[in-house]
């Protein structure tokens, strides 16, 4: 049966066709439940990459993955969906930003795994390991308890969605972007009504917007951020696509107009540098470009979640929280809860 589906997507540029939702759902089940062989899976993923996966195909794979995942709903939260292949040329601003938001009363979910192709950069998973959080040993109870205490939920994706762990080796061997690079970002482990989603190419905006709308998100920003992430740069203007139940529209976020523009130092980021910069931002002694980056990203997300009337007001609120140590307190509360649970 897998061969018949493979033939439909692998007939070449002119002969291939998009699968229906039901066909793609079956293909996803074969791939994720170990029915398809490694050769069939590799061929299918390459064929999809050449053909370009359709919205219906992505939704089918997303539904199968969510059906195999542990979901813990959190009311009124924000899910920040960044690429799982990590960062090599930019600061991972989403982590300090998250603790500004939790200090502001907005629950935040971040999710990650060990790094993946094609970039194989530094990921949130590896940053938490560097910060003495033994992610591999954290169970669901510990993570949920820490989220209840602090507002911050970290999800180790391959533990909460085991099928993705089963195909990791194959994805690593291919060393190419596959449809799973999109699917894993949109799993929504906390059923958050608000999302930020990072993309690299503007050509996929409409596809992502349809996926977000059909998955139950109330409002989201699809952001062409740094290295394809949802982190907004203070070095240049960033395009973002507002998607809600009522409207869809492009917005431009200009750091110069917001008086936050700065130039980043040239760096090849290591996990140690990412963690040092994260802590320096929370402690109030980071270089200005990274401080501004976190203020901007926090301000935009506070506005997205309806906690401020404008991005400018959101930035002002974020600055107050960061400068008064409330974000650092939120991080310390989360870390202490996790570490205490690990000792029990």
């Amino acid at each position: 049966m897998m061969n018949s589906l493979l033939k439909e997507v692998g007939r070449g540029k002119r002969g291939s066709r998009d699968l229906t939702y039901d066909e793609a759902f079956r293909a996803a089940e074969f791939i994720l439940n170990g029915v398809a062989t490694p050769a069939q899976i590799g061929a299918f993923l390459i064929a999809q990459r050449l053909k370009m996966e359709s919205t219906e195909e992505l939704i089918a794979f997303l539904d199968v993955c969510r059906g195999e995942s542990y979901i813990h709903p959190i009311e009124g939260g924000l899910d920040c969906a960044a690429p799982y292949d990590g960062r090599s040329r930019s600061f991972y601003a989403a982590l300090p930003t998250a603790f500004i938001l939790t200090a502001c009363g907005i629950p935040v979910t971040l999710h990650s795994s060990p790094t993946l192709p094609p970039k194989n950069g530094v990921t949130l998973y590896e940053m938490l390991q560097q910060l003495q959080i033994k992610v591999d040993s954290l169970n669901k109870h510990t993570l949920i308890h820490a989220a209840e205490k602090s507002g911050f939920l970290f999800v180790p994706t391959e533990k909460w969605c085991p099928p993705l762990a089963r195909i990791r080796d194959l994805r690593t061997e291919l060393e190419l972007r596959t449809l799973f690079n999109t699917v894993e970002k949109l799993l929504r482990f906390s059923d958050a009504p608000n999302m930020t989603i990072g993309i690299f190419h503007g050509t996929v905006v409409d596809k992502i917007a349809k996926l977000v709308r059909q998955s139950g998100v109330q409002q989201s920003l699809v952001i062409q951020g740094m290295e394809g992430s949802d982190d907004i740069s203070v070095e240049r203007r960033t395009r973002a696509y507002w998607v809600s139940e009522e409207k869809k529209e492009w917005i431009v976020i200009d750091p110069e107009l917001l008086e936050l523009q700065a130039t980043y130092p040239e760096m090849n980021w290591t996990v140690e540098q990412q963690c040092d910069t994260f802590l320096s931002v929370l402690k109030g002694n980071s270089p200005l470009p990274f401080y501004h980056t976190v203020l901007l990203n926090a301000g935009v997300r506070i506005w997205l979640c309806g906690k401020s009337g404008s991005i400018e007001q959101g930035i002002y609120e974020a600055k107050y929280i960061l400068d008064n140590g409330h974000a650092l307190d939120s991080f310390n509360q989360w870390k202490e809860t996790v570490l205490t649970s690990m000792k029990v």
Side-chain angles (χ1 to χ4, degrees):
M1 187 62 168
M2 185 65 195
N3 278 338
S4 65
L5 297 171
L6 179 56
K7 289 177 182 178
E8 297 301 330
V9 299
R11 295 182 189 275
K13 189 173 182 179
R14 296 181 180 179
S16 63
R17 69 169 177 86
D18 294 334
L19 300 180
T20 66
Y21 173 87
D22 290 339
E23 289 172 330
F25 193 94
R26 289 200 300 276
E29 288 186 317
F30 293 151
I31 289 170
L32 294 169
N33 293 328
V35 176
T37 67
Q40 289 173 328
I41 298 171
F44 182 87
L45 295 176
I46 294 297
Q48 284 285 3
R49 179 172 169 80
L50 295 174
K51 176 184 74 66
M52 296 301 292
E53 57 269 12
S54 69
T55 302
E56 288 298 300
E57 289 169 334
L58 286 170
I59 291 172
F61 271 78
L62 182 58
D63 286 347
V64 172
C65 283
R66 273 183 59 88
E68 298 280 346
S69 297
Y70 181 80
I71 306 296
H72 177 73
I74 298 177
E75 186 176 351
L78 172 71
D79 185 307
C80 298
Y84 278 50
D85 60 357
R87 310 288 277 275
S88 59
R89 304 186 311 276
S90 60
F91 174 47
Y92 198 107
L95 187 57
T97 296
F99 291 104
I100 293 178
L101 299 179
T102 56
C104 189
I106 301 170
V108 176
T109 301
L110 298 183
H111 37 100
S112 181
S113 71
T115 194
L116 283 161
K119 194 186 303 128
N120 294 306
V122 175
T123 69
L124 172 62
Y125 193 97
E126 288 141 0
M127 287 178 63
L128 293 179
Q129 297 273 45
Q130 179 68 23
L131 292 165
Q132 309 305 313
I133 305 296
K134 297 180 181 178
V135 180
D136 289 333
S137 65
L138 297 181
N139 58 39
K140 298 182 185 73
H141 174 76
T142 296
L143 293 166
I144 292 169
H145 177 61
E148 290 170 347
K149 288 285 187 179
S150 67
F152 176 71
L153 175 65
F154 170 70
V155 175
T157 297
E158 291 177 2
K159 280 193 169 185
W160 287 38
C161 182
L164 289 179
R166 292 197 289 269
I167 61 166
R168 161 173 283 275
D169 289 345
L170 189 146
R171 293 175 67 188
T172 302
E173 188 175 355
L174 285 177
E175 292 191 348
L176 294 171
R177 181 203 172 277
T178 70
L179 59 82
F180 289 111
N181 290 65
T182 298
V183 169
E184 62 199 356
K185 291 193 294 184
L186 298 171
L187 286 171
R188 297 180 59 242
F189 293 102
S190 61
D191 275 344
N194 309 296
M195 283 192 78
T196 56
I197 307 106
I199 61 168
F200 193 83
H201 296 292
T203 54
V204 302
V205 166
D206 285 338
K207 187 183 296 184
I208 297 297
K210 289 178 183 177
L211 285 167
V212 168
R213 273 189 156 181
Q214 292 189 41
S215 64
V217 179
Q218 294 176 13
Q219 49 205 11
S220 64
L221 278 179
V222 183
I223 301 169
Q224 280 189 278
M226 296 184 286
E227 295 190 73
S229 75
D230 57 336
D231 282 341
I232 301 161
S233 172
V234 295
E235 203 167 52
R236 54 173 173 77
R237 292 185 297 174
T238 297
R239 292 204 313 161
Y241 197 54
W242 174 279
V243 183
S244 68
E245 296 173 342
E246 298 81 23
K247 63 180 180 180
K248 297 187 295 183
E249 65 177 0
W250 281 102
I251 64 171
V252 176
I253 302 167
D254 190 337
E256 183 177 8
L257 294 178
L258 296 166
E259 299 182 348
L260 291 175
Q261 190 167 36
T263 301
Y264 296 114
E266 289 191 16
M267 298 175 65
N268 290 318
W269 287 89
T270 64
V271 65
E272 292 84 5
Q273 290 169 327
Q274 290 282 3
C275 291
D276 288 347
T277 306
F278 158 68
L279 291 173
S280 71
V281 169
L282 293 188
K283 292 176 180 178
N285 57 12
S286 73
L288 194 64
F290 308 124
Y291 173 73
H292 279 189
T293 300
V294 173
L295 287 183
L296 177 57
N297 280 277
V300 168
R301 286 156 176 75
I302 290 170
W303 167 70
L304 170 67
C305 294
K307 296 293 186 177
S308 69
S310 66
I311 293 175
E312 291 86 350
Q313 184 183 349
I315 291 169
Y316 178 82
E317 293 179 15
K319 180 175 172 56
Y320 176 84
I321 289 168
L322 189 57
D323 291 353
N324 285 277
H326 299 315
L328 179 60
D329 290 342
S330 184
F331 167 66
N332 286 334
Q333 182 184 37
W334 177 78
K335 183 175 180 180
E336 182 180 347
T337 303
V338 169
L339 293 178
T340 300
S341 297
M342 288 169 59
K343 293 176 183 178
V344 175

